[in-house]
Amino acid sequence: MKAYPLVVFISGAGSTLKAIIDAANNYKIVAIICNNPDALGIEHAIKANIPCHVIDHSKFADKQSFEAEIIRCLSFHDFKLIALAGFMRILSPEFVAHYPDQIINIHPSLLPKYPGLNTYHKALANNDTEHGTTIHYVSPEVDSGTIIAQEKFAISKDDDNNSLAQKTKSIEQKLYPQVLNDFMPKYAQKDAK
Ligand code: GRF
């Protein structure tokens, strides 16, 4: 099977990006978009020799011009899918509509529980017995598109914010590459022109 071309969006440490780079088999990362010039994840792109467009959202007058610059940069690449991996900007409905059914995200909760931020805190505050992660299509409403995959684990009585973050990230770093390698090729190649 020919590897399909993938773009990854990041904002921070890029630990998920690193896992996606290391496990690439049925996909090939052709570009990375990063909105944060200080993101440590940029190093992973440089080391892997993957073009990385650093587009600092704070330098743009509004979301529309920021996203227009992302679209301009993406126009230089041929790709089938965009994977958001710790990308901390909310994409506008117009941007999402520009790439219909082509954007997926990983979110650190068992959606539809806890869309948005502070998911570990919310799970602990509610005395939840389990937590996990969700991979889903991106739709105009935040963290609410069709679910592709979920994985969960039991919360132990000793867990705190940090340990929940660590446990979640460790399953995310296996699940995201697995979904990109095993599930998404069927989708990404379906419409191959
Ligand atoms: C992950 O927990 C993901 O679920 C969330 O952001 C985190 C990614 O962090 N959307 P990193 O920048 O990949 O380390």
Side-chain angles (χ1 to χ4, degrees):
M1 188 191 316
K2 190 171 176 292
Y4 68 90
L6 174 73
V7 172
V8 183
F9 284 23
I10 62 165
S11 297
S15 59
T16 319
L17 168 68
K18 173 81 168 65
I20 293 172
I21 291 173
D22 290 348
N25 188 21
N26 291 333
Y27 57 88
K28 179 179 175 1
I29 307 173
V30 294
I32 290 162
I33 300 283
C34 178
N35 69 300
N36 170 12
D38 299 323
L40 294 174
I42 296 169
E43 275 302 306
H44 297 311
I46 294 169
K47 282 199 186 116
N49 222 0
I50 301 168
C52 181
H53 302 272
V54 180
I55 307 170
D56 182 352
H57 64 278
S58 69
K59 300 277 190 283
F60 292 82
D62 50 28
K63 191 189 279 277
Q64 199 185 6
S65 49
F66 165 61
E67 292 183 345
E69 179 59 10
I70 299 180
I71 291 172
R72 194 187 68 81
C73 289
L74 289 181
S75 72
F76 296 110
H77 303 280
D78 195 16
F79 62 94
K80 285 284 175 201
L81 195 70
I82 295 172
L84 309 184
F87 184 66
M88 300 306 285
R89 307 305 299 169
I90 293 174
L91 295 167
S92 70
E94 292 74 24
F95 186 92
V96 175
H98 198 85
Y99 302 103
D101 296 328
Q102 256 189 306
I103 312 176
I104 67 172
N105 181 40
I106 189 158
H107 179 75
S109 81
L110 295 169
L111 290 172
K113 243 183 171 180
Y114 313 141
L117 298 174
N118 303 319
T119 60
Y120 310 124
H121 175 79
K122 288 172 188 164
L124 292 169
N126 285 335
N127 290 318
D128 286 357
T129 54
E130 56 184 26
H131 194 70
T133 190
T134 304
I135 296 171
H136 63 95
Y137 285 101
V138 172
S139 66
E141 306 76 36
V142 176
D143 297 330
S144 55
T146 306
I147 291 174
I148 299 167
Q150 271 186 329
E151 196 168 318
K152 58 186 171 186
F153 58 87
I155 297 179
S156 79
K157 61 175 180 11
D158 304 324
D159 272 324
D160 58 15
N161 237 55
N162 282 343
S163 66
L164 277 196
Q166 267 175 26
K167 288 178 184 179
T168 306
K169 282 192 167 211
S170 118
I171 60 171
E172 288 182 326
Q173 288 163 19
K174 293 192 189 80
L175 187 66
Y176 215 179
Q178 198 181 323
V179 162
L180 290 167
N181 272 320
D182 300 340
F183 175 72
M184 296 318 292
K186 292 186 207 86
Y187 165 80
Q189 294 188 340
K190 195 175 66 184
D191 300 316
K193 291 185 184 96

